[in-house]
Amino acid sequence: MTETSILTKKDLKSDQEVRWCPGCGDYSILNSVQAVLAGLGIQKEQLCIISGIGCSSRFPYYMNTYGFHTIHGRAPGIATGVKIANPNLSVWMVTGDGDGLSIGGNHMIHMLRRNVDVKILLFNNQIYGLTKGQYSPTSPTGLKTKSSPYGSVDRAFNPIKLALGAGATFVARTMDTHPKHMEQVLLEAANHKGSAFVEIFQNCVIFNDGCFEGVAGRKVRDERTVDLHAGEAMVYGEAHDKGLRFDGFELKGTSAAEAGVWDPSVLSTAPATVLAELDGRQDLPTAVGLFRRVNAPVFDQDVHAQVRAVLERKGPGKLKDLLYTKDAWTVS
Amino acid sequence: MTSTPHPAAELPLQQQESVVIRFAGDSGDGMQITGNQFTDTSAFVGNDLATLPDFPAEIRAPVGTRPGVSGFQVRFSSADVHTPGDQPDVLVAMNPAALIVNIKDLKPGAIVILNRGNWGEVDLKKAKLDVDPRTSGVLDGFRVIEIDINARVKEALADSGLSSKDVQRCKNFYTLGLMYWLYSRPLEPTLDWLAKKFAKEPSLVNANQTALRAGYNAGDIHEHFQARYEVARCDTMLPGTYRNIMGNQSLALGLVAGANLANLPIFLGSYPITPASDILHQLSSYKDHGVITMQAEDEIAAICSAIGASFAGHLGITTTSGPGMALKTEAMGLAISTELPLVIVDIQRAGPSTGMPTKTEQSDLLFAVFGRNGDAPMPVVSCSTPADAFECAIEAVRIATQFMTPVILLSDGYIANGSEPWRLPKMEDLVPFPVTFRTDPEAFQPFSRDARGVRPWVKPGTPGLEHRIGGLEKDADSGNISYDAKNHQRMTDLRHQKVQNVADTIPTPAVYGAQEGDLLVLGWGSTYGSIRSAVDVLLKQGKKIGQVHIRHVWPMAKGLDQIFARYRAVLVPELNMGQMTRLLRSEYPGFSFVSYPKVQGLPFTTAELVERIEKALA
């Protein structure tokens, strides 16, 4: 058979009919992921998409790559096993706010602290969609849902802060309404060595329609978001006329000219945390783009490095030597 | 009652066939090491043997208390033995608590060695004793030997330069030396072991070796004893090369051997849990055998990482005990649904819930066979002795890889920490069963099946075979998601049939003893040795009984019905409330199964089994 070295988006579409609701933000994400993965220069057999359970987790079925639709919340465990067993694979994990932060929250933080070389796409729609509309760990307090008819009394997780707190080496945020931005963030995630955590604001057209409209809607997003780029000024606004700069542990609105330059690679996670806390309540935009990118030892590589080091020191072990030890004796 | 020093004459050397010693002390007294050393040395001199450690779940319960008592029982013999013995002939009690906890188990006339150095008012109080057992009459009928081990060790190590705390930590080797003298064992194996163990701290090597010799010499100068004993080498052991092995050790070795025979690298995902952690410890040291281990964040991540590794072409393994099994069940279903090979090791312990972590039980049987959501069949293999765990681990790997299925391998705390001489397999007798990965894209369907109902295994990274798997029901032909009613029936039947097909590859177990007669005693798992010992007793009395032991718990071997038909009844002793009995009654409704349950966290004694079998025969 012949393999071309350059894939097209079409090569990555599986023969399965996509079954998300019409208007779901997931379509846009699927489209962007296919565009980015096709351009990575990786053969499709080297791509492996792993998901948990939920609307977003149907993702692998729509990708003509290797894929594993696993169980609720456990995609990080499976993805870690796959990546360790074959570090040559490009492993992508697709999860949601319920799958990745509620039932699978423990696995998520441990995957991030280990820095397993897996790219994590967290579709955040602030709702349980596949179970038909219950509040999730990212739902705002007070949200009325089927399981919170008087409003949710839960406090919400901030996924970016959770990832920063877990020691993630790459943390970014994008939105389903802005494919160009998403593709840029996904490409940066793909190029990162280690866990790359990408929160994607995703609209659930049925159960939480418009949950990010005030931030990510096409008409408002230039005014309501600031896009973080490494080494660039924190400027926003339709006319690129506004900016942000740090004043101690707080952010102040400034003119574009006075905006601070963003560095996602500083040792402290404090600046990124402050940016993550911008949630529209202040008179400031919500931050998207690159919150953090640092180099750290990569778990799957270190696992193999340790095996190689022992093999070099001891030589390949023989089964017979394991069984026939020095304390063995013979009966004749 | 203390014996007076004997004049310096050669003591009579008395031959004994079989001796049971129990070492008991605080969990910080090193009784497990002492017992293991005595065991290894007995193996070295060619005895057959069996051991039973009995220790608390707490690492260091309060010193001197009853809950803090740690024991190690070893039976060594010049004849075949299958159990660590019902009643100790010798008890070494390092403090009053150790005496009072163990005294009820002793054989009448047993030797009791007491450490008088830990026998003050405080020690009695810690053991909740109002009256000193030395004067209360509970020791009547035993041969009591009191030694101030604390003082003797202090004398022996006066010049060691060690702190008095470190000196006292050598007490167990003094005690061991004394027992070596009493049973005429060589010191060399332990001297060598100490030299290795403390290689980085020569002062500790020296101190412990000195304590060992001092204990031995204390016997030699006839301070305490009127006789010495000898247990000759066991001449009925089959020719071969042996080593003493604990169940968890041989199970770990079996997994490595199985992976080797399947030509696969091992990936172990595991979370620490008693009594399974030693398998994780051991496998994590085998990096030179290409073994990859990951200590996961929890039991679920442990099995999931193993499933991921299996998907990617490794032999995925996860090891745990009952509570961990409970957490893993959903993932087991995923492995069944995606038809990936996986070995799940369950070292059973007393339940329910946290139960008694260090005590043995066989109560996960029905859980292993049926405990998952949906119709989720899975083969289950069960180890019967520490050495047998090696073969069973290989068998679990064979079934998992040959049938593309998760397999549960059952062991228990008794096998895990018990030990026996293991007749090592000849390397040429280990028959390879190499795995073939599918690489041909021609007409590939991920859930197409061969004649045995087995789907192909494809490593991600293989060009042209890209496919998706998952826990949703699959179309039997294309492997795509399907909610079709008839397809679900078909897939359920196919999964069931595949597991049943395993029975075509397993032998009918042999019957020991009478090949037909009044009673068949059927066991599975760690009851093997106890049942064998009881059956031997009754066979010698001319009873027409047989023993059959089940390795393949699910599916069961073919031909068992024909065996059952040759006896009037089948007695099923097991360390649970009768789970195997239920299984047998549902699978073989035409036969009479009599349950003999025991759930005390301890194995059956030979005596209680003999009594129950006699009752069944009456």
Side-chain angles (χ1 to χ4, degrees), chain A residues 104-241:
Chain A
N106 188 41
H107 307 305
M108 177 69 82
I109 57 175
H110 287 278
M111 174 176 241
L112 294 175
R113 94 175 148 83
R114 290 191 184 103
N115 200 30
V116 186
D117 190 16
V118 169
K119 313 307 157 200
I120 303 155
L121 310 182
L122 184 124
F123 296 17
N124 182 7
N125 56 16
Q126 302 185 336
I127 199 81
Y128 282 94
L130 200 57
T131 50
K132 299 190 168 53
Q134 299 83 15
Y135 62 98
S136 90
T138 55
S139 298
T141 304
L143 189 70
K144 288 187 178 170
T145 69
K146 280 189 185 155
S147 57
S148 58
Y150 298 102
S152 159
V153 293
D154 277 30
R155 292 174 68 217
F157 260 141
N158 178 324
I160 300 293
K161 283 171 67 182
L162 186 81
L164 291 169
T169 56
F170 181 103
V171 181
R173 177 188 275 160
T174 184
M175 49 221 145
D176 60 359
T177 53
H178 200 336
K180 201 176 143 208
H181 185 265
M182 187 160 30
E183 287 173 27
Q184 187 190 341
V185 166
L186 293 179
L187 189 61
E188 288 187 274
N191 291 330
H192 178 68
K193 292 270 171 277
S195 294
F197 179 90
V198 181
E199 179 192 6
I200 306 173
F201 287 164
Q202 179 244 321
N203 190 42
C204 173
V205 71
I206 305 294
F207 296 109
N208 207 10
D209 195 21
C211 56
F212 293 110
E213 193 58 29
V215 174
R218 282 183 180 80
K219 288 181 186 154
V220 300
R221 71 183 180 219
D222 287 346
E223 288 295 326
R224 298 309 304 151
T225 59
V226 56
D227 191 13
L228 305 173
H229 291 273
E232 291 184 17
M234 295 184 282
V235 170
Y236 69 101
E238 246 174 296
H240 304 282
D241 54 340

Side-chain angles (χ1 to χ4, degrees), chain B residues 582-603:
Chain B
R582 280 173 183 259
L583 201 55
L584 290 166
R585 282 176 185 157
S586 77
E587 293 303 302
Y588 304 96
F591 300 98
S592 165
F593 298 101
V594 182
S595 180
Y596 179 30
K598 175 179 177 180
V599 275
Q600 298 170 13
L602 288 168

Side-chain angles (χ1 to χ4, degrees), chain B residues 17 79-80 512 533-543 545:
Chain B
E17 183 189 282
D80 281 350
Y512 175 78
S533 300
V535 166
D536 273 338
V537 168
L538 292 159
L539 284 173
K540 274 185 196 154
Q541 295 173 12
K543 300 288 197 305
I545 60 170

